[in-house]
Amino acid sequence: MANIKVDGELIEVPDHFTLMQAAEAAGAEIPRFCYHERLSIAGNCRMCLVEVKGGPPKPQASCAMAVKDLRPGPNGEPPEMFTNTPMVKKAREGVMEFLLINHPLDCPICDQGGECDLQDQAMAYGVDKSRFNENKRAVEDKYMGPLIKTEMTRCIQCTRCVRFVTEVAGVSELGLVGRGEDAEITPYLERALSSELQGNTIDLCPVGALTSKPYAFHARPWELVNTESVDVMDALGSNIRVDSRGREVMRVLPRIHEGINEEWISDKTRFIWDGLKSQRLDRPYVRKSRKLTEASWDEALGVVAKAVKKAGAKVGAIAGDLAGVEEMYALKGLLDSLGSGMTDCRPPMSGIDPDLPRGAYIFNPGIAGIEEADAILLIGTNPRKEAAVLNARIRKQWRANDAAIALVGEVADLTYDYEHVGTDIAALKTIADGSAKFAKVLKKAKKPLIIVGEAALSHAGVGKQPGRDVMALAAQIASDCGALDKGWNGYAVLHNAAARVGGLDIGFVPHNGGVCSADQIALAGKGELDVLFLLGADEYDMSAMGNALVVYIGSHGDAGAHRADVILPGAAYTEKSATYVNTEGRVQQTAKAVFAPGDAKEDWSIIRALSAQIGQTLPYNTLNELRAALYAEFPHLARLDVVEAGDAAAIKKLAKVPARGKNVQLGSAVDDFYLTNPIARASAVMGESAQLAQGLRQAAE
């Protein structure tokens, strides 16, 4: 620790603190453009100048000088720093004057207007006239793809964007070229960026040089209503802010949550909003003479009720990737009242058994726990595609602490170095039996981390569920290398669907003689299942459902709606308050930002109305009543932003399950990062991004 005086106030701070951090600890505000606490220090903008005693006799950049760099006084007095003296004010005004020499006067048409750091600081340190008569310089705009719009004449060369894509995203495609007046930020190869996190540069840019291309000229920030919510594009549950105007979502921005997404979100999360308006289901439909025709709610519910009553217990239900806990709980209650246990929220042929303990299917160390791991084994996963923000956290640990990483699965560019052990279960066994080189690395590690991808646990069409073999081997590796010791649970399952953990928590899996999703579809194809509910489920083989009456409850006209015999339009995640449990088991809730279009209703209310038509009325009339029943049965779901920890001892027991020896390839659950769900497939921006990414891959090959 070190003592320092800040504007006359003596404080004690760690000696590695910068002067800027020390000033903030003392409550003094220091302006900055280039400094960002999650990026390396560049010292470009010089806006954070302060006056110091115990250092050089001129203004110093507080972001680039540490407290330990200052000398004490002749009698041992602590060094002093001043943030509001005339020298400091004049120095900052001079820096601001230089920054504005070439900055264009286009604030009225700039999308950053109202949220611009340069505007804010110019109010404090700028002047109302310029002493320069020369023409302002102009810089050619750069092409960065369909997501980022550039206006490089506004750029002040803070290099935040360059440092982000290089350090956090791990894609060195952006840089500063030239010197002095000729300095420019540019993609090195003058092509679109390939990172799944590139949209975060829009938030980092302190001026209007980088803005959102899909959002350009659509709205002003003061017109928008801000709603704090949770993302459902993957299983991380990134904290977001949904900005809306009227009944329309205009943009999605990140919120800070240190335990999940820090302050980053993926491009799919950020730019998905145009898909919320496209291909929407806004009224009920019933198939008549092989053609879907519009119907009233009473007619559509009546058709379903008649079929269910006739079917008896021959009714099944499959929940999709975006389903909330409330609607799954309601649908499970409805099927239970009909005597059917045919519910499932898992991918086809999943190795996650309904009887498994909670610790066997969650990311036990937590997403933030990645920063404690010193050796990481990835099994059948591509975290860059399945959870881009989590992948950035792995890269962060690799860069900061040189964590050893190995992969069993498909070779891919994960933005960090790793040892490729193999692609199948046989390769995984070499780690389990200790013959692989990386097995020794895991045993030497203090906090080893075993990350099992969802694809490694699910193998449709293979038979005998080799996913259970993968789980047993992963548990054996975790047990042998000390990943399940006291104080550290390093067994982690990385899901790729927001609905998965919540569905598993409430038991939306086969019970009372029910069968899994793959078997339900097979029974429907053979005519042994009369009614099949698809709760936003689109990632299944729709052609194999035979003549069963398929009831689709969802928000978008995707694969499930095309196959459906009855469509009951539901609400998207921005149009309802719903509970989601992320891959680490953290309970969170979305918030309603806008109303659903047309006659669409919240999914749980559709199921409640249907239960009344069937004659098996569910015992709640409001969302609060439903949640009261839900919390009474599953108390941990009432504790928002809290993780119910898994039991490491229970995971050790899984290691005793004998592996059957079936050898299969371990790939990724996600083929195309941009097109993983119905909302993404309805988005023109995501479609263009997917097409561009495919072109970049082909060019690289």
Side-chain angles (χ1 to χ4, degrees):
M1 302 294 285
N3 292 322
I4 184 173
K5 276 188 175 182
V6 180
D7 296 331
E9 179 187 350
L10 181 64
I11 63 169
E12 187 178 33
V13 296
D15 60 1
H16 64 268
F17 263 31
T18 63
L19 298 183
M20 179 181 287
Q21 290 172 307
E24 289 180 342
E29 184 179 349
I30 295 183
R32 82 290 300 267
F33 292 117
C34 69
Y35 176 80
H36 192 279
E37 55 269 20
R38 302 191 198 276
L39 304 176
S40 62
I41 294 173
N44 291 346
C45 70
R46 319 308 286 180
M47 196 64 202
C48 63
L49 294 174
V50 295
E51 184 181 351
V52 295
K53 280 186 180 179
K58 59 181 181 179
Q60 295 298 304
S62 60
C63 70
M65 178 173 278
V67 173
K68 62 184 177 184
D69 295 332
L70 301 182
R71 302 183 305 275
N75 299 314
E77 301 95 338
E80 292 189 58
M81 171 174 59
F82 302 96
T83 66
N84 53 12
T85 61
M87 176 202 281
V88 171
K89 188 172 187 298
K90 184 176 180 181
R92 291 175 182 171
E93 287 174 350
V95 170
M96 177 60 68
E97 187 172 12
F98 278 119
L99 287 174
L100 294 177
I101 289 174
N102 287 309
H103 199 80
L105 301 176
D106 59 354
C107 296
I109 63 162
C110 178
D111 270 323
Q112 195 83 346
E115 300 173 315
C116 178
D117 293 348
L118 188 62
Q119 277 185 334
D120 296 341
Q121 300 302 337
M123 291 294 292
Y125 300 103
V127 293
D128 59 354
K129 58 183 179 296
S130 173
R131 292 186 287 174
F132 294 87
N133 296 318
E134 293 80 9
N135 291 329
K136 293 178 180 287
R137 79 162 188 166
V139 181
E140 184 180 351
D141 293 339
K142 309 297 187 295
Y143 173 72
M144 292 188 187
L147 305 179
I148 299 176
K149 179 177 180 291
T150 62
E151 192 74 44
M152 301 313 292
T153 302
R154 300 172 185 157
C155 180
I156 60 172
Q157 285 87 44
C158 72
T159 70
R160 279 186 180 183
C161 54
V162 176
R163 284 175 283 151
F164 174 82
V165 299
T166 305
E167 297 168 9
V168 179
V171 179
S172 300
E173 297 175 341
L174 200 62
L176 178 69
V177 298
R179 297 181 66 186
E181 193 174 81
D182 296 324
E184 296 183 22
I185 302 289
T186 179
Y188 291 125
L189 301 178
E190 297 189 5
R191 69 179 189 185
L193 303 183
S194 62
S195 172
E196 296 81 10
L197 299 169
Q198 60 183 280
N200 291 290
T201 59
I202 297 168
D203 298 332
L204 290 171
C205 184
V207 294
L210 304 179
T211 56
S212 171
K213 188 174 282 188
Y215 172 73
F217 309 125
H218 275 62
R220 285 298 197 181
W222 52 85
E223 299 177 299
L224 305 177
V225 177
N226 306 330
T227 307
E228 294 185 352
S229 191
V230 177
D231 174 52
V232 299
M233 293 298 109
D234 53 33
L236 291 191
S238 299
N239 282 215
I240 58 173
R241 192 186 85 192
V242 179
D243 289 357
S244 59
R245 183 176 62 188
R247 300 188 65 161
E248 192 174 353
V249 174
M250 303 303 296
R251 65 178 180 179
V252 175
L253 298 176
R255 286 189 295 128
I256 296 176
H257 192 300
E258 297 295 343
I260 304 175
N261 59 304
E262 298 181 294
E263 60 185 86
W264 318 125
I265 54 175
S266 72
D267 293 340
K268 185 164 51 177
T269 300
R270 183 184 299 271
F271 297 106
I272 198 74
W273 52 268
D274 70 313
L276 294 166
K277 298 178 282 188
S278 304
Q279 299 183 25
R280 288 304 304 267
L281 301 174
D282 58 358
R283 56 183 64 95
Y285 287 86
V286 174
R287 192 175 296 277
K288 299 177 181 177
S289 302
R290 298 185 178 181
K291 185 178 180 181
L292 286 170
T293 58
E294 293 182 22
S296 65
W297 272 108
D298 287 340
E299 181 185 357
L301 293 175
V303 170
V304 179
K306 182 179 178 181
V308 169
K309 288 177 182 177
K310 181 180 178 182
K314 295 180 181 178
V315 180
I318 303 173
D321 294 353
L322 307 182
V325 170
E326 286 83 358
E327 50 255 37
M328 286 190 283
Y329 181 73
L331 188 53
K332 179 175 179 280
L334 176 59
L335 263 69
D336 285 346
S337 70
L338 298 172
S340 172
M342 294 194 185
T343 56
D344 206 359
C345 64
R346 305 167 300 169
M349 301 305 294
S350 174
I352 300 176
D353 191 275
D355 298 325
L356 288 175
R358 192 170 194 257
Y361 61 79
I362 65 172
F363 203 96
N364 289 284
I367 297 168
I370 292 172
E371 296 185 28
E372 299 180 45
D374 49 357
I376 302 173
L377 174 62
L378 304 172
I379 303 173
T381 181
N382 181 338
R384 182 174 175 182
K385 287 184 178 180
E386 296 171 32
V389 175
L390 181 141
N391 192 63
R393 185 91 71 159
I394 297 175
R395 174 177 166 79
K396 179 180 179 182
Q397 179 65 356
W398 172 74
R399 289 185 71 245
N401 299 307
D402 197 25
I405 304 172
L407 169 68
V408 179
E410 294 177 354
V411 176
D413 179 7
L414 301 180
T415 72
Y416 41 79
D417 296 336
Y418 61 85
E419 177 188 336
H420 186 240
V421 180
T423 60
D424 53 16
I425 292 181
L428 185 61
K429 286 182 178 179
T430 64
I431 299 179
D433 62 24
S435 60
K437 179 182 175 183
F438 196 75
K440 299 178 180 64
V441 176
L442 286 172
K443 287 191 176 181
K444 289 180 181 177
K446 294 180 180 178
K447 290 189 175 181
L449 174 57
I450 316 299
I451 300 179
V452 186
E454 194 166 63
L457 302 177
S458 306
H459 297 281
V462 175
K464 293 188 178 180
Q465 294 185 331
R468 294 181 183 175
D469 294 346
V470 174
M471 184 178 291
L473 287 168
Q476 180 183 333
I477 294 168
S479 179
D480 291 346
C481 71
L484 301 176
D485 286 348
K486 188 177 180 180
W488 174 253
N489 187 340
Y491 180 88
V493 176
L494 178 57
H495 293 277
N496 68 300
R500 198 82 72 224
V501 176
L504 293 168
D505 276 357
I506 66 168
F508 200 88
V509 289
H511 58 284
N512 296 338
V515 296
C516 70
S517 57
D519 290 341
Q520 286 185 44
I521 293 172
L523 289 174
K526 292 187 289 187
E528 297 176 18
L529 191 70
D530 299 318
V531 179
L532 181 59
F533 286 94
L534 300 180
L535 187 58
D538 297 275
E539 318 303 324
Y540 296 85
D541 184 3
M542 301 297 167
S543 63
M545 296 179 183
N547 295 322
L549 182 82
V550 177
V551 182
Y552 184 78
I553 304 173
S555 59
H556 283 72
D558 205 71
H562 285 122
R563 168 58 187 86
D565 299 297
V566 179
I567 295 176
L568 305 177
Y573 72 104
T574 55
E575 299 157 2
K576 62 186 176 185
S577 176
T579 301
Y580 290 89
V581 186
N582 77 349
T583 193
E584 64 181 345
R586 189 185 300 270
V587 182
Q588 300 185 108
Q589 282 182 359
T590 61
K592 179 186 284 190
V594 295
F595 290 98
D599 295 331
K601 302 183 184 301
E602 292 189 24
D603 304 60
W604 75 266
S605 65
I606 296 172
I607 298 164
R608 167 62 180 78
L610 178 60
S611 70
Q613 288 269 18
I614 294 172
Q616 299 288 344
T617 306
L618 294 172
Y620 34 77
N621 297 313
T622 66
L623 181 60
N624 286 339
E625 290 178 2
L626 185 157
R627 283 180 174 162
L630 176 66
Y631 298 158
E633 192 170 350
F634 306 101
H636 74 280
L637 294 176
R639 297 188 283 272
L640 296 182
D641 203 33
V642 173
V643 177
E644 189 81 8
D647 182 10
I651 299 171
K652 282 187 177 181
K653 293 179 182 178
L654 298 178
K656 298 177 182 178
V657 178
R660 297 176 179 82
K662 185 76 174 180
N663 191 30
V664 297
Q665 298 294 310
L666 302 178
S668 171
V670 175
D671 292 326
D672 193 324
F673 167 78
Y674 296 100
L675 303 176
T676 55
N677 60 62
I679 304 177
R681 290 188 285 270
S683 167
V685 175
M686 291 295 99
E688 187 177 354
S689 298
Q691 190 174 16
L692 183 63
Q694 184 180 6
L696 291 175
R697 283 195 300 271
Q698 291 174 349
E701 294 171 358

